[in-house]
Coordinates of all heavy atoms in Angstrom, one line a residue:
M175 N 44.8 121.3 55.9 CA 46.0 120.8 56.6 C 47.2 121.9 56.4 O 47.9 122.1 57.3 CB 46.4 119.5 55.9 CG 47.3 118.6 56.7 SD 46.5 118.1 58.2 CE 47.7 117.0 58.8
T176 N 47.2 122.5 55.3 CA 48.3 123.5 55.0 C 48.1 124.7 56.0 O 49.1 125.1 56.6 CB 48.2 124.0 53.6 OG1 48.2 122.9 52.7 CG2 49.3 125.0 53.3
S177 N 46.9 125.1 56.3 CA 46.7 126.2 57.2 C 47.2 125.9 58.6 O 47.7 126.7 59.3 CB 45.3 126.7 57.1 OG 44.4 125.8 57.6
R178 N 46.9 124.6 59.0 CA 47.4 124.2 60.3 C 48.9 124.2 60.4 O 49.4 124.7 61.4 CB 46.8 122.8 60.6 CG 47.1 122.3 62.0 CD 46.5 121.0 62.3 NE 47.0 120.5 63.6 CZ 46.8 119.3 64.0 NH1 46.2 118.4 63.3 NH2 47.3 119.0 65.2
R179 N 49.5 123.7 59.3 CA 51.0 123.8 59.4 C 51.5 125.2 59.4 O 52.5 125.5 60.1 CB 51.6 123.1 58.1 CG 51.7 121.6 58.2 CD 52.5 121.0 57.1 NE 52.3 119.6 57.2 CZ 52.4 118.8 56.1 NH1 52.6 119.3 54.9 NH2 52.2 117.5 56.2
T180 N 50.9 126.0 58.6 CA 51.3 127.4 58.6 C 51.1 128.0 60.0 O 52.0 128.7 60.5 CB 50.4 128.2 57.6 OG1 50.6 127.6 56.4 CG2 50.8 129.7 57.5
F181 N 50.0 127.7 60.6 CA 49.7 128.2 62.0 C 50.8 127.7 63.0 O 51.3 128.5 63.8 CB 48.3 127.7 62.4 CG 48.0 128.1 63.8 CD1 47.6 129.5 64.1 CD2 48.0 127.2 64.9 CE1 47.3 129.9 65.4 CE2 47.7 127.6 66.2 CZ 47.3 128.9 66.4
I182 N 51.1 126.4 62.9 CA 52.1 125.9 63.8 C 53.5 126.5 63.6 O 54.2 126.8 64.5 CB 52.2 124.3 63.6 CG1 50.9 123.7 64.2 CG2 53.4 123.8 64.3 CD1 50.8 122.2 63.9
R183 N 53.8 126.9 62.3 CA 55.1 127.6 62.0 C 55.1 129.0 62.5 O 56.0 129.6 62.9 CB 55.4 127.5 60.5 CG 56.0 126.2 60.1 CD 56.6 126.3 58.8 NE 55.6 126.9 57.8 CZ 55.6 126.7 56.5 NH1 56.5 126.0 56.0 NH2 54.7 127.2 55.8
I184 N 53.9 129.7 62.4 CA 53.8 131.1 62.8 C 53.7 131.2 64.3 O 54.2 132.2 64.9 CB 52.5 131.7 62.2 CG1 52.8 131.8 60.7 CG2 52.2 133.0 62.8 CD1 51.6 132.3 59.9
L185 N 53.2 130.3 65.0 CA 53.0 130.4 66.5 C 54.2 130.8 67.2 O 54.2 131.7 68.0 CB 52.4 129.1 67.0 CG 51.7 129.1 68.4 CD1 50.6 130.2 68.4 CD2 51.2 127.8 68.8
P186 N 55.4 130.1 67.0 CA 56.6 130.5 67.8 C 57.0 131.9 67.5 O 57.4 132.7 68.4 CB 57.6 129.5 67.4 CG 56.9 128.4 66.8 CD 55.6 128.9 66.2
L187 N 56.8 132.3 66.2 CA 57.2 133.7 65.8 C 56.3 134.7 66.5 O 56.8 135.7 67.1 CB 57.1 133.8 64.3 CG 57.4 135.2 63.7 CD1 58.8 135.6 64.0 CD2 57.1 135.2 62.3
A188 N 55.0 134.4 66.6 CA 54.1 135.3 67.2 C 54.4 135.4 68.7 O 54.4 136.5 69.3 CB 52.7 134.8 67.1
G189 N 54.8 134.3 69.3 CA 55.2 134.3 70.7 C 56.4 135.1 71.0 O 56.5 135.9 71.9
A190 N 57.4 135.0 70.1 CA 58.6 135.7 70.2 C 58.4 137.2 70.1 O 58.9 138.0 70.8 CB 59.6 135.2 69.2
L191 N 57.5 137.5 69.1 CA 57.2 139.0 68.9 C 56.5 139.5 70.2 O 56.7 140.6 70.6 CB 56.3 139.1 67.7 CG 57.0 139.0 66.4 CD1 56.0 139.0 65.2 CD2 58.0 140.1 66.2
A192 N 55.6 138.7 70.7 CA 54.8 139.1 71.9 C 55.8 139.3 73.1 O 55.8 140.3 73.8 CB 53.8 138.1 72.3
L193 N 56.8 138.4 73.2 CA 57.8 138.6 74.3 C 58.7 139.8 74.1 O 59.0 140.5 75.0 CB 58.6 137.3 74.4 CG 57.9 136.1 75.0 CD1 58.8 134.9 75.0 CD2 57.5 136.4 76.5
G194 N 59.0 140.0 72.8 CA 59.9 141.1 72.4 C 59.1 142.4 72.7 O 59.7 143.4 73.3
G195 N 57.8 142.4 72.5 CA 57.0 143.6 72.7 C 57.0 143.9 74.2 O 57.1 145.0 74.7
E196 N 56.8 142.8 75.0 CA 56.8 143.0 76.5 C 58.1 143.5 77.0 O 58.2 144.4 77.8 CB 56.5 141.7 77.2 CG 55.0 141.4 77.3 CD 54.8 140.1 78.1 OE1 55.5 139.8 79.0 OE2 53.8 139.4 77.7
A197 N 59.2 143.0 76.4 CA 60.5 143.5 76.8 C 60.7 145.0 76.5 O 61.2 145.7 77.3 CB 61.6 142.7 76.2
A198 N 60.2 145.3 75.3 CA 60.3 146.7 74.9 C 59.5 147.6 75.9 O 59.9 148.7 76.3 CB 59.8 146.9 73.5
L199 N 58.3 147.1 76.3 CA 57.5 147.9 77.2 C 58.2 148.0 78.5 O 58.2 149.0 79.2 CB 56.1 147.2 77.4 CG 55.1 147.4 76.2 CD1 53.8 146.6 76.5 CD2 54.8 148.9 76.1
A200 N 58.8 146.9 79.0 CA 59.5 146.9 80.3 C 60.6 147.9 80.2 O 60.8 148.6 81.2 CB 60.0 145.5 80.6
A201 N 61.3 148.0 79.1 CA 62.4 148.9 79.0 C 61.9 150.3 79.0 O 62.5 151.2 79.7 CB 63.2 148.7 77.7
D202 N 60.8 150.6 78.3 CA 60.2 151.9 78.3 C 59.7 152.3 79.7 O 59.7 153.5 80.0 CB 59.0 152.0 77.3 CG 59.5 152.1 75.9 OD1 60.7 152.3 75.8 OD2 58.7 151.9 75.0
A203 N 59.3 151.3 80.5 CA 58.8 151.6 81.9 C 59.9 152.3 82.7 O 59.5 152.9 83.7 CB 58.2 150.4 82.5
T204 N 61.1 152.1 82.4 CA 62.2 152.7 83.2 C 62.6 154.1 82.7 O 63.4 154.7 83.3 CB 63.4 151.8 83.2 OG1 63.9 151.7 81.8 CG2 63.1 150.4 83.6
K205 N 62.0 154.5 81.6 CA 62.3 155.8 81.1 C 61.2 156.8 81.5 O 60.1 156.5 81.7 CB 62.3 155.8 79.5 CG 63.4 155.1 78.9 CD 63.3 155.3 77.4 CE 64.4 154.5 76.7 NZ 64.2 154.5 75.2
V206 N 61.7 158.0 81.7 CA 60.7 159.1 82.1 C 59.9 159.4 80.8 O 60.4 159.7 79.8 CB 61.4 160.4 82.6 CG1 60.4 161.5 82.7 CG2 62.2 160.1 83.9
D207 N 58.5 159.3 81.0 CA 57.6 159.6 79.9 C 57.3 161.1 80.0 O 56.8 161.6 81.1 CB 56.4 158.8 80.1 CG 55.3 159.0 79.0 OD1 55.5 159.9 78.2 OD2 54.3 158.3 79.0
P208 N 57.5 161.9 79.0 CA 57.2 163.3 79.0 C 55.8 163.6 79.3 O 55.4 164.7 79.8 CB 57.6 163.8 77.6 CG 58.5 162.8 77.1 CD 58.2 161.5 77.7
K209 N 54.9 162.6 79.1 CA 53.4 162.8 79.4 C 53.1 162.4 80.8 O 52.0 162.7 81.2 CB 52.6 161.9 78.4 CG 52.7 162.4 77.0 CD 51.9 161.5 76.0 CE 52.2 161.9 74.6 NZ 52.3 160.8 73.7
D210 N 54.0 161.9 81.5 CA 53.8 161.6 82.9 C 53.5 162.9 83.7 O 54.1 163.9 83.4 CB 55.1 160.9 83.5 CG 55.0 160.7 85.0 OD1 54.5 159.7 85.4 OD2 55.5 161.6 85.8
P211 N 52.5 162.9 84.6 CA 52.1 164.2 85.2 C 53.2 164.9 85.8 O 53.3 166.1 85.7 CB 51.0 163.7 86.2 CG 50.5 162.5 85.7 CD 51.6 161.8 85.0
Q212 N 54.1 164.2 86.6 CA 55.2 164.9 87.2 C 56.2 165.5 86.2 O 56.7 166.6 86.3 CB 56.0 163.9 88.1 CG 57.2 164.5 88.8 CD 58.1 163.5 89.6 OE1 57.8 162.3 89.5 NE2 59.1 164.0 90.2
A213 N 56.4 164.7 85.1 CA 57.3 165.2 84.0 C 56.7 166.4 83.3 O 57.4 167.4 83.1 CB 57.6 164.0 83.0
A214 N 55.4 166.3 83.1 CA 54.8 167.4 82.4 C 54.8 168.7 83.2 O 55.0 169.8 82.7 CB 53.3 167.0 82.0
A215 N 54.6 168.5 84.6 CA 54.6 169.6 85.5 C 55.9 170.3 85.5 O 56.0 171.5 85.7 CB 54.2 169.2 86.9
L216 N 57.0 169.5 85.2 CA 58.3 170.1 85.3 C 58.8 170.5 83.9 O 60.0 170.9 83.7 CB 59.3 169.1 85.9 CG 59.1 168.9 87.4 CD1 59.9 167.7 87.9 CD2 59.5 170.1 88.2
G217 N 57.9 170.4 82.9 CA 58.3 170.8 81.5 C 59.3 169.9 80.9 O 60.1 170.3 80.1
F218 N 59.3 168.6 81.4 CA 60.3 167.6 80.9 C 60.2 167.4 79.4 O 59.1 167.2 78.8 CB 60.2 166.3 81.6 CG 61.1 165.2 81.0 CD1 62.4 165.1 81.6 CD2 60.8 164.3 80.1 CE1 63.3 164.2 81.1 CE2 61.6 163.4 79.6 CZ 62.9 163.3 80.1
V219 N 61.3 167.5 78.6 CA 61.3 167.2 77.2 C 62.5 166.2 76.9 O 63.5 166.3 77.6 CB 61.5 168.5 76.3 CG1 60.2 169.3 76.2 CG2 62.6 169.4 76.9
A220 N 62.2 165.3 76.0 CA 63.2 164.3 75.7 C 64.4 165.0 75.0 O 65.6 164.5 75.2 CB 62.6 163.2 74.8
D221 N 64.2 166.1 74.3 CA 65.3 166.8 73.6 C 65.3 168.2 74.2 O 64.3 169.0 74.0 CB 64.9 166.8 72.1 CG 66.0 167.6 71.3 OD1 66.8 168.3 71.9 OD2 65.9 167.5 70.1
A222 N 66.4 168.5 74.9 CA 66.5 169.8 75.6 C 66.2 171.0 74.6 O 65.7 172.0 75.1 CB 67.9 170.0 76.2
T223 N 66.5 170.9 73.4 CA 66.4 172.0 72.5 C 64.9 172.3 72.2 O 64.5 173.3 71.7 CB 67.0 171.8 71.1 OG1 66.4 170.6 70.5 CG2 68.5 171.5 71.3
E224 N 64.0 171.4 72.7 CA 62.6 171.6 72.5 C 61.9 172.1 73.8 O 60.7 172.1 73.9 CB 61.9 170.2 72.1 CG 62.3 169.8 70.7 CD 61.8 168.4 70.3 OE1 61.0 167.8 71.1 OE2 62.2 168.0 69.2
A225 N 62.8 172.5 74.8 CA 62.2 173.1 76.0 C 61.4 174.3 75.7 O 61.7 175.1 74.8 CB 63.4 173.5 76.9
D226 N 60.3 174.5 76.5 CA 59.4 175.6 76.2 C 60.0 176.9 76.8 O 59.9 177.2 78.0 CB 58.0 175.3 76.9 CG 57.0 176.4 76.7 OD1 57.4 177.5 76.3 OD2 55.8 176.1 76.8
K227 N 60.7 177.6 76.0 CA 61.5 178.8 76.4 C 60.6 179.9 77.0 O 61.1 180.7 77.8 CB 62.4 179.2 75.3 CG 63.5 178.2 75.0 CD 63.9 178.3 73.5 CE 64.8 177.1 73.1 NZ 64.1 176.0 72.6
A228 N 59.4 180.0 76.5 CA 58.5 181.0 77.0 C 58.1 180.7 78.4 O 58.0 181.6 79.2 CB 57.3 181.2 76.0
K229 N 57.7 179.5 78.6 CA 57.3 179.0 79.9 C 58.4 178.9 80.9 O 58.2 179.0 82.1 CB 56.5 177.7 79.8 CG 55.7 177.3 81.0 CD 54.8 176.1 80.6 CE 54.0 175.7 81.8 NZ 53.1 174.5 81.5
Y230 N 59.6 178.5 80.4 CA 60.7 178.3 81.3 C 61.9 179.2 80.9 O 62.9 178.7 80.3 CB 61.1 176.8 81.3 CG 60.0 175.9 81.7 CD1 59.3 175.2 80.8 CD2 59.6 175.8 83.0 CE1 58.3 174.3 81.1 CE2 58.5 175.0 83.4 CZ 57.9 174.3 82.5 OH 56.8 173.5 82.8
P231 N 61.8 180.5 81.2 CA 62.9 181.4 80.7 C 64.2 181.1 81.3 O 65.2 181.6 80.7 CB 62.3 182.8 81.1 CG 61.3 182.5 82.1 CD 60.7 181.2 81.9
K232 N 64.3 180.3 82.3 CA 65.6 180.0 82.9 C 66.4 179.0 82.0 O 67.6 178.8 82.2 CB 65.5 179.5 84.3 CG 65.1 178.0 84.5 CD 65.4 177.5 85.9 CE 65.7 176.1 85.9 NZ 66.1 175.6 87.2
Y233 N 65.7 178.4 81.1 CA 66.4 177.4 80.2 C 67.4 178.3 79.3 O 67.0 179.3 78.8 CB 65.4 176.7 79.2 CG 66.1 176.0 78.1 CD1 66.7 174.8 78.4 CD2 66.3 176.6 76.9 CE1 67.4 174.1 77.4 CE2 67.0 175.9 75.9 CZ 67.6 174.7 76.1 OH 68.3 174.0 75.2
A234 N 68.5 177.7 79.2 CA 69.6 178.3 78.4 C 70.1 177.3 77.5 O 70.3 176.1 77.9 CB 70.7 179.0 79.2
A235 N 70.5 177.7 76.3 CA 71.0 176.7 75.3 C 72.2 176.0 76.0 O 73.0 176.7 76.7 CB 71.5 177.5 74.0
G236 N 72.3 174.7 75.7 CA 73.5 174.0 76.3 C 73.1 173.2 77.6 O 73.8 172.3 78.0
Q237 N 71.9 173.6 78.2 CA 71.5 172.9 79.4 C 70.9 171.5 79.0 O 70.1 171.5 78.0 CB 70.4 173.7 80.2 CG 70.9 174.9 80.8 CD 69.9 175.7 81.6 OE1 68.7 175.3 81.5 NE2 70.2 176.7 82.3
S238 N 71.2 170.5 79.7 CA 70.6 169.2 79.4 C 70.9 168.3 80.6 O 71.8 168.6 81.4 CB 71.1 168.5 78.1 OG 72.5 168.2 78.3
C239 N 70.2 167.2 80.7 CA 70.4 166.3 81.8 C 71.8 165.9 82.1 O 72.2 165.8 83.2 CB 69.5 165.0 81.6 SG 67.7 165.4 81.6
G240 N 72.6 165.7 81.0 CA 73.9 165.3 81.2 C 74.8 166.2 82.0 O 75.8 165.9 82.6
G241 N 74.4 167.5 82.1 CA 75.1 168.5 82.8 C 74.4 168.9 84.1 O 74.7 169.9 84.7
C242 N 73.4 168.1 84.5 CA 72.6 168.5 85.7 C 73.1 167.8 86.9 O 73.5 166.6 86.9 CB 71.1 168.1 85.4 SG 70.0 168.3 86.8
Q243 N 73.0 168.5 88.0 CA 73.4 167.9 89.3 C 72.6 166.7 89.7 O 73.2 165.8 90.4 CB 73.2 169.0 90.4 CG 73.8 168.7 91.8 CD 75.3 168.8 91.8 OE1 75.9 169.7 91.2 NE2 75.9 167.9 92.5
L244 N 71.4 166.5 89.2 CA 70.5 165.4 89.6 C 70.7 164.2 88.7 O 70.1 163.2 89.0 CB 69.1 165.9 89.7 CG 68.9 167.1 90.7 CD1 67.6 167.8 90.4 CD2 68.9 166.5 92.1
Y245 N 71.4 164.4 87.7 CA 71.7 163.3 86.7 C 72.7 162.3 87.4 O 73.7 162.7 87.9 CB 72.2 163.8 85.4 CG 72.5 162.8 84.3 CD1 71.4 162.2 83.7 CD2 73.8 162.6 83.9 CE1 71.7 161.3 82.6 CE2 74.0 161.7 82.9 CZ 73.0 161.0 82.3 OH 73.2 160.2 81.2
Q246 N 72.3 161.0 87.3 CA 73.1 160.0 88.0 C 73.9 159.1 87.0 O 74.5 158.2 87.4 CB 72.3 159.2 88.9 CG 71.6 160.0 90.0 CD 70.6 159.3 90.8 OE1 69.9 158.4 90.3 NE2 70.4 159.6 92.1
G247 N 73.8 159.5 85.7 CA 74.6 158.7 84.8 C 76.0 159.1 84.8 O 76.4 160.2 85.4
K248 N 76.9 158.3 84.2 CA 78.3 158.7 84.1 C 78.5 159.6 83.0 O 77.8 159.6 82.0 CB 79.1 157.4 83.9 CG 79.1 156.4 85.0 CD 80.0 155.2 84.8 CE 79.6 154.1 85.6 NZ 79.0 153.0 84.9
P249 N 79.6 160.4 83.0 CA 79.9 161.3 81.9 C 80.0 160.5 80.6 O 80.7 159.5 80.6 CB 81.2 162.0 82.3 CG 81.2 161.9 83.8 CD 80.5 160.6 84.1
G250 N 79.4 161.0 79.6 CA 79.5 160.2 78.3 C 78.4 159.2 78.1 O 78.2 158.8 77.0
D251 N 77.7 158.8 79.1 CA 76.5 157.9 79.0 C 75.4 158.6 78.2 O 75.2 159.8 78.4 CB 76.0 157.5 80.3 CG 76.8 156.4 81.1 OD1 77.8 156.0 80.4 OD2 76.5 156.1 82.2
A252 N 74.7 157.8 77.4 CA 73.6 158.3 76.6 C 72.4 158.6 77.5 O 71.6 159.4 77.2 CB 73.3 157.4 75.5
A253 N 72.3 157.8 78.5 CA 71.2 158.0 79.5 C 71.6 157.6 80.9 O 72.6 156.9 81.0 CB 70.0 157.1 79.0
G254 N 70.8 158.0 81.8 CA 71.1 157.6 83.2 C 70.0 158.0 84.1 O 69.0 158.6 83.7
P255 N 70.0 157.5 85.3 CA 68.9 157.8 86.2 C 68.9 159.2 86.7 O 69.9 159.9 86.7 CB 69.2 156.9 87.4 CG 70.3 156.0 87.1 CD 71.0 156.6 85.9
C256 N 67.6 159.7 87.0 CA 67.5 161.0 87.5 C 66.9 160.9 88.9 O 65.9 160.2 89.1 CB 66.6 161.9 86.6 SG 66.1 163.4 87.4
A257 N 67.5 161.7 89.9 CA 67.1 161.6 91.3 C 65.6 162.0 91.5 O 64.9 161.4 92.3 CB 68.0 162.4 92.1
I258 N 65.2 163.0 90.8 CA 63.8 163.5 91.1 C 62.7 162.6 90.4 O 61.6 162.8 90.7 CB 63.6 165.0 90.7 CG1 63.7 165.2 89.2 CG2 64.5 165.9 91.5 CD1 63.0 166.5 88.8
F259 N 63.1 161.8 89.5 CA 62.1 160.9 88.9 C 62.3 159.5 89.4 O 62.1 158.5 88.7 CB 62.3 160.9 87.3 CG 61.7 162.2 86.8 CD1 62.6 163.1 86.2 CD2 60.4 162.5 86.7 CE1 62.2 164.3 85.7 CE2 59.9 163.7 86.2 CZ 60.8 164.6 85.7
G260 N 62.6 159.3 90.6 CA 62.7 158.0 91.3 C 63.7 157.1 90.6 O 63.5 155.9 90.6
G261 N 64.7 157.6 90.0 CA 65.8 156.8 89.4 C 65.4 156.3 88.0 O 66.2 155.5 87.5
K262 N 64.3 156.8 87.5 CA 64.0 156.4 86.1 C 65.0 157.0 85.1 O 65.6 158.1 85.5 CB 62.6 156.9 85.7 CG 61.5 156.0 86.2 CD 60.1 156.5 85.6 CE 59.1 155.4 86.0 NZ 57.8 155.8 85.4
Q263 N 65.2 156.4 84.0 CA 66.2 156.9 83.0 C 65.8 158.1 82.3 O 64.6 158.3 81.9 CB 66.4 155.7 82.0 CG 67.0 154.5 82.6 CD 68.5 154.5 82.8 OE1 69.2 155.0 82.0 NE2 68.9 154.1 84.0
V264 N 66.7 159.0 82.1 CA 66.5 160.1 81.2 C 67.7 160.2 80.2 O 68.8 159.7 80.6 CB 66.5 161.5 82.0 CG1 65.2 161.5 82.9 CG2 67.7 161.7 82.8
S265 N 67.4 160.7 79.1 CA 68.5 160.8 78.1 C 69.4 161.9 78.6 O 69.0 162.9 79.2 CB 67.9 161.2 76.7 OG 69.0 161.7 75.9
S266 N 70.7 161.8 78.3 CA 71.6 162.9 78.7 C 71.3 164.2 77.9 O 71.7 165.3 78.3 CB 73.1 162.5 78.4 OG 73.2 162.3 77.0
K267 N 70.4 164.1 76.9 CA 70.0 165.3 76.1 C 68.7 165.8 76.4 O 68.2 166.7 75.8 CB 70.1 164.9 74.6 CG 71.4 164.5 74.1 CD 71.5 164.1 72.6 CE 72.9 163.8 72.2 NZ 73.0 163.2 70.9
S268 N 68.1 165.2 77.5 CA 66.8 165.7 77.9 C 66.9 166.9 78.8 O 68.1 167.3 79.1 CB 66.0 164.6 78.7 OG 65.8 163.5 77.8
W269 N 65.8 167.4 79.3 CA 65.8 168.6 80.1 C 64.5 168.7 80.9 O 63.5 168.3 80.4 CB 66.0 169.9 79.3 CG 66.2 171.2 80.1 CD1 67.3 171.7 80.7 CD2 65.1 172.1 80.5 NE1 67.0 172.9 81.3 CE2 65.6 173.1 81.2 CE3 63.7 172.1 80.2 CZ2 64.9 174.2 81.7 CZ3 63.0 173.1 80.7 CH2 63.5 174.2 81.5
C270 N 64.6 169.3 82.1 CA 63.3 169.7 82.8 C 63.7 170.9 83.6 O 64.8 171.3 83.8 CB 62.8 168.6 83.7 SG 63.5 168.5 85.3
S271 N 62.6 171.6 84.1 CA 62.8 172.9 84.8 C 63.5 172.7 86.2 O 63.8 173.7 86.8 CB 61.4 173.6 85.0 OG 60.6 172.8 85.7
A272 N 63.7 171.5 86.6 CA 64.5 171.3 87.9 C 66.0 171.3 87.6 O 66.7 171.0 88.5 CB 64.0 170.0 88.6
Y273 N 66.3 171.6 86.4 CA 67.7 171.5 86.0 C 68.6 172.4 86.9 O 68.2 173.5 87.3 CB 67.9 172.1 84.6 CG 69.4 172.2 84.2 CD1 70.1 171.2 83.6 CD2 70.1 173.4 84.4 CE1 71.4 171.3 83.3 CE2 71.4 173.6 84.0 CZ 72.1 172.5 83.5 OH 73.4 172.6 83.1
T274 N 69.6 171.8 87.5 CA 70.6 172.4 88.3 C 72.0 172.1 87.8 O 72.4 170.9 87.8 CB 70.4 171.9 89.8 OG1 69.1 172.0 90.2 CG2 71.3 172.7 90.7
K275 N 72.7 173.1 87.4 CA 74.0 172.9 86.8 C 74.9 172.2 87.8 O 75.0 172.5 89.0 CB 74.6 174.3 86.5 CG 75.9 174.1 85.7 CD 76.4 175.5 85.2 CE 77.7 175.2 84.4 NZ 78.3 176.5 84.0
K276 N 75.6 171.2 87.2 CA 76.5 170.4 88.0 C 77.6 171.3 88.6 O 78.1 172.2 87.9 CB 77.2 169.3 87.1 CG 76.9 167.9 87.5 CD 77.6 166.9 86.6 CE 76.7 165.7 86.6 NZ 76.9 164.8 85.6
A277 N 77.9 171.0 89.8 CA 79.0 171.9 90.5 C 80.3 171.5 89.9 O 80.6 170.5 89.5 CB 79.0 171.6 92.0
Ligands
SF4_1727 FE1 67.3 166.1 83.7 FE2 68.1 167.3 85.9 FE3 65.5 167.5 85.1 FE4 66.6 165.2 86.1 S1 66.4 167.1 87.2 S2 65.2 165.4 84.3 S3 68.6 165.2 85.3 S4 67.3 168.3 84.0

């Protein structure tokens, strides 16, 4: 009987965790995954300082999504949509080889 009560008490918690996990996954689905084939082909990195400087010599210190023409976030936003990734979110500190300095 005790185990049944324990189970009944745990059940809502497990459900909440499952829903929370789904919400987290849904949120991640809107972010550009560096392992996504398109992102990988463009050398996308979540942290611009980790850009492959040997493979992408055009990378220069200070470049990041926040200063890119294709970044659709507002100045100061931690993240925003990127035009070449179908509006998926990128961190303002990310970078890819399609970087184009904001005019
Ligand atoms: Fe970031 Fe610009 Fe590349 Fe989009 S195109 S991921 S905003 S550097």
Side-chain angles (χ1 to χ4, degrees):
M175 203 61 173
T176 304
S177 65
R178 184 174 172 195
R179 276 193 191 152
T180 303
F181 177 75
I182 288 170
R183 279 193 309 206
I184 290 173
L185 196 59
L187 177 63
L191 285 173
L193 287 175
E196 274 183 35
L199 282 176
D202 283 349
T204 65
K205 286 184 183 172
V206 172
D207 179 354
K209 292 179 188 138
D210 173 84
Q212 183 189 359
L216 290 169
F218 177 85
V219 283
D221 179 349
T223 63
E224 293 173 5
D226 186 340
K227 293 149 189 93
K229 194 170 178 182
Y230 303 105
K232 82 166 207 171
Y233 170 80
Q237 293 181 353
S238 68
C239 294
C242 177
Q243 187 75 39
L244 300 164
Y245 181 70
Q246 299 171 328
K248 295 184 199 108
D251 282 355
C256 168
I258 66 161
F259 288 109
K262 280 190 171 183
Q263 298 279 314
V264 293
S265 163
S266 64
K267 295 178 178 170
S268 297
W269 182 89
C270 87
S271 61
Y273 174 86
T274 307
K275 189 176 179 179
K276 242 178 208 160

